[in-house]
Amino acid sequence: MTSNVGGIDRVLRIVVGVVLVALALTHTIGAWGYLGLIVLATGVFSFCGVYTLLGINTCPMKDDRPA
């Protein structure tokens, strides 16, 4: 698994995932809020399967050239 979620995308996924799970735990929203666990996991592991299927990569390009 190579990382395909980077930077701001990763931070937003973690924040949104935590908020959704917290709202579900407090019964503010329905049980669908637990889908935030998936969003949270994609942020923590920096990998999104849907991005792979669509050919999207938000990670910055690495410079492999010698200095």
Side-chain angles (χ1 to χ4, degrees), residues 2-59:
T2 58
S3 295
N4 62 1
V5 175
I8 296 171
D9 189 11
R10 184 176 183 201
V11 171
L12 287 175
R13 287 172 182 262
I14 292 171
V15 170
V16 169
V18 168
V19 168
L20 282 174
V21 171
L23 290 173
L25 287 172
T26 60
H27 304 291
T28 304
I29 59 176
W32 65 269
Y34 290 110
L35 291 175
L37 290 172
I38 296 170
V39 177
L40 179 62
T42 60
V44 169
F45 295 113
S46 297
F47 178 79
C48 178
V50 176
Y51 273 14
T52 302
L53 292 174
L54 297 175
I56 299 171
N57 186 349
T58 60
C59 281

